[in-house]
Amino acid sequence: MAARRLRRPATGGVMAWSIWILEYGYVDRFPASNLFAAQPNEGHRRMPYCFGLLRSAGRCVLVDTGFFDPAVHARLTAKYGETRWLPPVDVLARVGVRPSQVDTILLTHNHFDHAGCVADFPGARVWIQRREIESYLAAAARPGRFEFLTRSCQPDLPARDLTLADGRAEIAAGLALWPAHDTHTAGSQLVVVDDTWVFPGDNVYSYENLEGIRGDGVLAPIAMTTGSATRWLDLADEMLTTVAGDTGRILPFHEAAVWDRFPSVTFEDGLHVAEVSLAGGHPSLVI
Protein backbone atom coordinates (compact mmCIF):
# COMPACT_ATOMS: atom_id res chain seq x y z
CA MET A 1 0.00 0.00 0.00
CA ALA A 2 1.02 3.60 -0.53
CA ALA A 3 0.64 6.46 1.92
CA ARG A 4 0.91 10.21 1.95
CA ARG A 5 1.32 12.67 4.80
CA LEU A 6 -0.64 15.87 4.96
CA ARG A 7 -0.97 18.58 7.56
CA ARG A 8 -3.73 17.82 10.07
CA PRO A 9 -6.32 20.57 10.56
CA ALA A 10 -6.13 22.34 13.90
CA THR A 11 -8.98 21.32 16.19
CA GLY A 12 -8.75 24.10 18.74
CA GLY A 13 -9.05 21.77 21.74
CA VAL A 14 -8.36 18.35 23.23
CA MET A 15 -9.98 15.57 21.25
CA ALA A 16 -11.63 12.62 23.00
CA TRP A 17 -12.20 10.60 19.84
CA SER A 18 -10.00 9.23 17.09
CA ILE A 19 -11.67 9.46 13.68
CA TRP A 20 -11.15 7.58 10.44
CA ILE A 21 -13.04 7.47 7.14
CA LEU A 22 -12.94 4.04 5.52
CA GLU A 23 -13.67 3.42 1.85
CA TYR A 24 -15.36 0.10 1.03
CA GLY A 25 -16.05 0.79 -2.65
CA TYR A 26 -16.16 3.30 -5.47
CA VAL A 27 -17.70 3.93 -8.87
CA ASP A 28 -15.52 5.56 -11.48
CA ARG A 29 -17.94 7.73 -13.47
CA PHE A 30 -20.81 9.03 -11.37
CA PRO A 31 -22.78 11.87 -12.99
CA ALA A 32 -22.32 15.16 -11.19
CA SER A 33 -25.92 16.03 -12.03
CA ASN A 34 -26.88 13.46 -9.35
CA LEU A 35 -24.80 15.33 -6.79
CA PHE A 36 -25.77 18.97 -7.44
CA ALA A 37 -29.30 20.21 -8.03
CA ALA A 38 -29.90 22.07 -11.32
CA GLN A 39 -26.34 21.46 -12.57
CA PRO A 40 -26.82 19.25 -15.66
CA ASN A 41 -23.49 19.78 -17.43
CA GLU A 42 -20.84 19.18 -14.78
CA GLY A 43 -19.46 15.89 -16.10
CA HIS A 44 -18.62 12.91 -13.91
CA ARG A 45 -16.84 12.21 -10.64
CA ARG A 46 -15.13 9.17 -9.15
CA MET A 47 -17.39 8.62 -6.16
CA PRO A 48 -16.27 6.64 -3.11
CA TYR A 49 -18.58 4.77 -0.76
CA CYS A 50 -17.43 5.13 2.85
CA PHE A 51 -18.30 4.85 6.51
CA GLY A 52 -16.78 6.34 9.66
CA LEU A 53 -14.92 4.78 12.57
CA LEU A 54 -14.71 6.52 15.96
CA ARG A 55 -12.65 5.25 18.88
CA SER A 56 -12.20 6.60 22.39
CA ALA A 57 -10.41 5.05 25.33
CA GLY A 58 -13.21 2.51 25.83
CA ARG A 59 -15.58 2.79 22.86
CA CYS A 60 -15.69 1.67 19.23
CA VAL A 61 -18.39 3.35 17.13
CA LEU A 62 -19.33 3.20 13.47
CA VAL A 63 -21.00 6.02 11.59
CA ASP A 64 -23.03 4.03 9.02
CA THR A 65 -22.15 0.47 8.01
CA GLY A 66 -21.94 0.43 4.22
CA PHE A 67 -23.28 -2.49 2.16
CA PHE A 68 -22.09 -5.55 0.27
CA ASP A 69 -24.37 -7.00 -2.40
CA PRO A 70 -22.88 -8.46 -5.61
CA ALA A 71 -26.14 -7.94 -7.52
CA VAL A 72 -26.10 -4.23 -6.70
CA HIS A 73 -22.39 -4.07 -7.49
CA ALA A 74 -23.09 -5.49 -10.97
CA ARG A 75 -25.86 -2.97 -11.56
CA LEU A 76 -23.66 -0.05 -10.51
CA THR A 77 -20.80 -1.31 -12.68
CA ALA A 78 -23.11 -1.47 -15.70
CA LYS A 79 -24.17 2.14 -15.08
CA TYR A 80 -20.99 3.83 -13.91
CA GLY A 81 -18.00 1.99 -15.38
CA GLU A 82 -15.18 0.64 -13.24
CA THR A 83 -16.12 -0.17 -9.66
CA ARG A 84 -14.41 -1.79 -6.68
CA TRP A 85 -16.01 -3.34 -3.59
CA LEU A 86 -14.92 -4.93 -0.33
CA PRO A 87 -17.12 -6.08 2.57
CA PRO A 88 -17.06 -3.40 5.29
CA VAL A 89 -16.00 -5.97 7.90
CA ASP A 90 -12.91 -6.67 5.76
CA VAL A 91 -12.18 -2.95 5.55
CA LEU A 92 -12.36 -2.76 9.35
CA ALA A 93 -9.94 -5.69 9.58
CA ARG A 94 -7.42 -3.56 7.68
CA VAL A 95 -7.37 -1.15 10.60
CA GLY A 96 -7.39 -3.85 13.27
CA VAL A 97 -11.06 -3.73 14.29
CA ARG A 98 -13.20 -6.86 14.71
CA PRO A 99 -17.02 -6.74 14.40
CA SER A 100 -17.34 -7.85 18.03
CA GLN A 101 -15.50 -4.71 19.15
CA VAL A 102 -18.11 -2.37 17.68
CA ASP A 103 -20.44 -1.34 20.52
CA THR A 104 -22.46 1.40 18.76
CA ILE A 105 -23.68 2.18 15.25
CA LEU A 106 -24.95 5.66 14.35
CA LEU A 107 -26.94 5.60 11.10
CA THR A 108 -27.19 8.93 9.32
CA HIS A 109 -30.20 7.61 7.37
CA ASN A 110 -31.88 4.45 6.11
CA HIS A 111 -30.38 3.95 2.65
CA PHE A 112 -28.86 0.65 1.54
CA ASP A 113 -25.33 2.00 1.09
CA HIS A 114 -25.32 3.41 4.62
CA ALA A 115 -27.30 0.81 6.57
CA GLY A 116 -26.81 -2.37 4.56
CA CYS A 117 -24.45 -4.25 6.89
CA VAL A 118 -26.02 -3.66 10.31
CA ALA A 119 -26.45 -7.41 10.75
CA ASP A 120 -22.67 -7.88 10.65
CA PHE A 121 -22.42 -6.20 14.08
CA PRO A 122 -24.89 -8.09 16.29
CA GLY A 123 -23.47 -6.72 19.53
CA ALA A 124 -23.82 -3.05 18.60
CA ARG A 125 -26.52 -0.67 19.76
CA VAL A 126 -27.98 0.97 16.65
CA TRP A 127 -29.17 4.58 16.72
CA ILE A 128 -31.34 6.25 14.08
CA GLN A 129 -33.93 9.00 14.13
CA ARG A 130 -37.47 7.86 14.98
CA ARG A 131 -38.71 10.11 12.18
CA GLU A 132 -36.58 8.18 9.67
CA ILE A 133 -38.13 4.83 10.55
CA GLU A 134 -41.69 6.06 10.90
CA SER A 135 -41.49 7.96 7.62
CA TYR A 136 -40.15 4.88 5.84
CA LEU A 137 -42.97 2.69 7.20
CA ALA A 138 -45.58 5.25 6.18
CA ALA A 139 -44.08 5.55 2.68
CA ALA A 140 -43.88 1.77 2.27
CA ALA A 141 -47.61 1.54 3.03
CA ARG A 142 -48.52 3.90 0.17
CA PRO A 143 -49.44 2.70 -3.34
CA GLY A 144 -46.69 1.58 -5.68
CA ARG A 145 -46.66 4.87 -7.56
CA PHE A 146 -44.88 6.38 -4.52
CA GLU A 147 -41.95 3.94 -4.83
CA PHE A 148 -39.48 6.83 -5.21
CA LEU A 149 -39.76 7.43 -1.44
CA THR A 150 -38.47 3.94 -0.59
CA ARG A 151 -36.33 3.09 -3.62
CA SER A 152 -32.95 3.31 -1.91
CA CYS A 153 -34.02 2.23 1.57
CA GLN A 154 -32.89 -0.82 3.53
CA PRO A 155 -36.26 -2.59 3.97
CA ASP A 156 -35.26 -4.91 6.83
CA LEU A 157 -33.93 -2.15 9.07
CA PRO A 158 -37.21 -1.33 10.90
CA ALA A 159 -37.46 -4.96 12.04
CA ARG A 160 -34.14 -4.76 13.86
CA ASP A 161 -33.55 -3.79 17.47
CA LEU A 162 -33.07 -0.04 17.13
CA THR A 163 -32.69 2.89 19.48
CA LEU A 164 -34.86 5.68 18.08
CA ALA A 165 -33.72 9.24 18.73
CA ASP A 166 -36.26 12.04 18.94
CA GLY A 167 -34.19 14.93 17.69
CA ARG A 168 -30.90 15.68 19.42
CA ALA A 169 -29.30 12.96 21.51
CA GLU A 170 -26.01 12.62 23.38
CA ILE A 171 -24.49 9.21 22.75
CA ALA A 172 -21.38 9.66 24.89
CA ALA A 173 -19.18 12.49 26.05
CA GLY A 174 -18.25 14.44 22.93
CA LEU A 175 -20.53 12.43 20.64
CA ALA A 176 -23.97 13.68 19.63
CA LEU A 177 -26.75 13.24 17.08
CA TRP A 178 -28.39 16.30 15.53
CA PRO A 179 -31.56 16.00 13.44
CA ALA A 180 -31.47 16.98 9.76
CA HIS A 181 -35.10 16.28 9.00
CA ASP A 182 -36.75 16.83 5.62
CA THR A 183 -33.45 17.13 3.75
CA HIS A 184 -31.86 14.11 2.01
CA THR A 185 -34.44 11.93 3.77
CA ALA A 186 -37.32 12.65 6.10
CA GLY A 187 -35.34 11.67 9.19
CA SER A 188 -31.69 12.21 8.31
CA GLN A 189 -29.30 13.09 11.12
CA LEU A 190 -25.82 14.49 11.60
CA VAL A 191 -23.16 12.96 13.83
CA VAL A 192 -21.18 15.65 15.68
CA VAL A 193 -17.87 14.74 17.33
CA ASP A 194 -16.23 16.83 20.05
CA ASP A 195 -18.07 19.92 18.74
CA THR A 196 -15.35 19.92 16.08
CA TRP A 197 -16.25 17.47 13.32
CA VAL A 198 -19.56 16.83 11.52
CA PHE A 199 -20.54 13.69 9.64
CA PRO A 200 -23.32 14.95 7.34
CA GLY A 201 -24.41 11.64 5.83
CA ASP A 202 -25.70 12.26 2.33
CA ASN A 203 -26.47 15.90 3.03
CA VAL A 204 -23.01 16.61 1.63
CA TYR A 205 -21.82 14.56 -1.33
CA SER A 206 -18.96 16.83 -2.32
CA TYR A 207 -17.18 19.79 -0.79
CA GLU A 208 -18.59 21.68 -3.76
CA ASN A 209 -22.03 21.43 -2.14
CA LEU A 210 -20.67 23.74 0.58
CA GLU A 211 -17.90 25.63 -1.20
CA GLY A 212 -19.71 26.18 -4.49
CA ILE A 213 -19.19 24.73 -7.93
CA ARG A 214 -15.50 25.34 -8.69
CA GLY A 215 -15.17 27.22 -5.41
CA ASP A 216 -17.46 30.16 -6.13
CA GLY A 217 -18.80 30.16 -2.56
CA VAL A 218 -22.45 29.69 -3.54
CA LEU A 219 -24.12 26.76 -1.77
CA ALA A 220 -24.98 24.00 -4.28
CA PRO A 221 -27.90 21.94 -2.94
CA ILE A 222 -27.74 18.17 -3.16
CA ALA A 223 -29.71 16.68 -6.05
CA MET A 224 -31.00 13.44 -4.52
CA THR A 225 -33.47 14.34 -1.82
CA THR A 226 -36.99 13.72 -0.58
CA GLY A 227 -37.00 17.00 1.34
CA SER A 228 -36.71 20.58 0.17
CA ALA A 229 -33.80 22.56 -1.21
CA THR A 230 -34.74 25.41 1.13
CA ARG A 231 -34.44 23.19 4.18
CA TRP A 232 -31.11 21.87 2.90
CA LEU A 233 -29.77 25.40 2.46
CA ASP A 234 -30.66 26.19 6.05
CA LEU A 235 -29.00 22.96 7.21
CA ALA A 236 -25.85 23.72 5.21
CA ASP A 237 -25.69 27.13 6.84
CA GLU A 238 -26.13 25.54 10.27
CA MET A 239 -23.31 23.08 9.58
CA LEU A 240 -20.99 25.84 8.41
CA THR A 241 -21.78 27.86 11.53
CA THR A 242 -21.02 24.83 13.71
CA VAL A 243 -17.56 24.42 12.16
CA ALA A 244 -16.85 28.18 12.02
CA GLY A 245 -16.83 28.09 8.24
CA ASP A 246 -14.09 25.45 8.01
CA THR A 247 -15.47 22.97 5.45
CA GLY A 248 -12.56 20.65 6.20
CA ARG A 249 -14.27 19.79 9.47
CA ILE A 250 -17.26 18.34 7.61
CA LEU A 251 -16.68 14.70 6.68
CA PRO A 252 -18.59 13.47 3.59
CA PHE A 253 -18.75 9.79 2.62
CA HIS A 254 -18.93 10.24 -1.17
CA GLU A 255 -16.08 12.72 -1.73
CA ALA A 256 -12.79 11.56 -3.27
CA ALA A 257 -11.06 14.78 -2.16
CA VAL A 258 -11.09 13.40 1.39
CA TRP A 259 -7.98 11.37 0.52
CA ASP A 260 -6.13 14.58 -0.31
CA ARG A 261 -7.42 16.69 2.57
CA PHE A 262 -6.41 14.22 5.29
CA PRO A 263 -3.48 11.86 5.83
CA SER A 264 -4.50 8.71 3.99
CA VAL A 265 -3.48 5.22 3.00
CA THR A 266 -4.11 3.81 -0.48
CA PHE A 267 -4.29 0.02 -0.62
CA GLU A 268 -3.33 -2.14 -3.58
CA ASP A 269 -6.98 -2.48 -4.63
CA GLY A 270 -7.33 1.32 -4.85
CA LEU A 271 -9.43 1.71 -1.70
CA HIS A 272 -8.45 4.26 0.95
CA VAL A 273 -8.47 5.02 4.66
CA ALA A 274 -8.28 8.64 5.82
CA GLU A 275 -7.02 9.48 9.29
CA VAL A 276 -8.93 12.56 10.38
CA SER A 277 -7.86 12.89 14.01
CA LEU A 278 -6.05 10.86 16.66
CA ALA A 279 -6.81 10.77 20.37
CA GLY A 280 -6.81 8.36 23.26
CA GLY A 281 -3.43 6.84 22.47
CA HIS A 282 -4.47 5.22 19.21
CA PRO A 283 -1.54 4.67 16.85
CA SER A 284 -1.43 6.25 13.42
CA LEU A 285 -2.47 4.05 10.52
CA VAL A 286 -0.66 6.30 8.06
CA ILE A 287 2.93 5.09 7.85
Side-chain angles (χ1 to χ4, degrees), residues 59 61-64 103-109 115 118 124-130 132-133 157 161-172 175-177 189 191:
R59 302 289 300 273
V61 178
L62 297 186
V63 181
D64 294 338
D103 59 73
T104 303
I105 293 170
L106 309 176
L107 296 178
T108 59
H109 61 294
V118 169
R125 184 178 185 182
V126 182
W127 289 78
I128 194 168
Q129 286 288 314
R130 182 184 304 277
E132 183 76 342
I133 296 301
L157 188 67
D161 183 15
L162 304 172
T163 300
L164 302 180
D166 294 302
R168 290 203 181 198
E170 183 176 358
I171 306 305
L175 185 58
L177 304 176
Q189 62 184 358
V191 177

Side-chain angles (χ1 to χ4, degrees), residues 27-270:
V27 300
D28 190 50
R29 286 179 54 79
F30 194 82
S33 59
N34 283 359
L35 305 177
F36 314 116
Q39 297 288 343
N41 298 307
E42 290 299 326
H44 298 80
R45 306 285 195 278
R46 171 167 290 206
M47 191 175 80
Y49 287 70
C50 305
F51 61 96
L53 170 64
L54 309 175
R55 303 197 74 177
S56 67
R59 302 289 300 273
C60 184
V61 178
L62 297 186
V63 181
D64 294 338
T65 63
F67 85 103
F68 191 80
D69 185 330
V72 177
H73 300 164
R75 188 175 76 240
L76 293 174
T77 300
K79 291 181 69 174
Y80 303 128
E82 176 192 346
T83 68
R84 182 81 63 178
W85 306 99
L86 196 66
V89 292
D90 291 351
V91 175
L92 281 170
R94 287 178 162 176
V95 298
V97 175
R98 301 183 304 276
S100 60
Q101 293 176 268
V102 177
D103 59 73
T104 303
I105 293 170
L106 309 176
L107 296 178
T108 59
H109 61 294
N110 176 28
H111 278 172
F112 75 92
D113 57 321
H114 294 260
C117 287
V118 169
D120 291 341
F121 307 95
R125 184 178 185 182
V126 182
W127 289 78
I128 194 168
Q129 286 288 314
R130 182 184 304 277
R131 183 179 178 88
E132 183 76 342
I133 296 301
E134 291 182 347
S135 295
Y136 167 76
L137 292 173
R142 300 182 79 173
R145 62 183 178 274
F146 292 96
E147 183 262 347
F148 171 80
L149 296 173
T150 59
R151 182 176 301 162
S152 298
C153 293
Q154 187 65 28
D156 64 343
L157 188 67
R160 299 194 177 279
D161 183 15
L162 304 172
T163 300
L164 302 180
D166 294 302
R168 290 203 181 198
E170 183 176 358
I171 306 305
L175 185 58
L177 304 176
W178 291 7
H181 296 168
D182 298 317
T183 53
H184 178 62
T185 64
S188 285
Q189 62 184 358
L190 312 177
V191 177
V192 181
V193 185
D194 288 323
D195 293 322
T196 300
W197 306 99
V198 176
F199 286 99
D202 276 358
N203 273 301
V204 178
Y205 293 118
S206 167
Y207 287 114
E208 291 174 274
N209 293 125
L210 301 172
E211 297 171 354
I213 303 296
R214 290 174 296 279
D216 64 10
V218 178
L219 293 171
I222 58 175
M224 295 181 286
T225 179
T226 61
S228 77
T230 299
R231 175 65 194 111
W232 181 88
L233 288 163
D234 288 338
L235 176 70
D237 192 57
E238 293 164 12
M239 286 190 286
L240 290 170
T241 298
T242 297
V243 300
D246 182 357
T247 57
R249 286 160 54 189
I250 296 175
L251 306 174
F253 284 158
H254 294 299
E255 170 60 278
V258 162
W259 320 129
D260 296 317
R261 294 200 180 197
F262 298 101
S264 65
V265 176
T266 306
F267 294 91
E268 291 182 358
D269 56 12

Side-chain angles (χ1 to χ4, degrees), residues 8-24:
R8 297 185 188 280
T11 63
V14 177
M15 298 290 293
W17 295 88
S18 294
I19 305 173
W20 296 270
I21 298 174
L22 289 77
E23 183 181 28
Y24 67 92

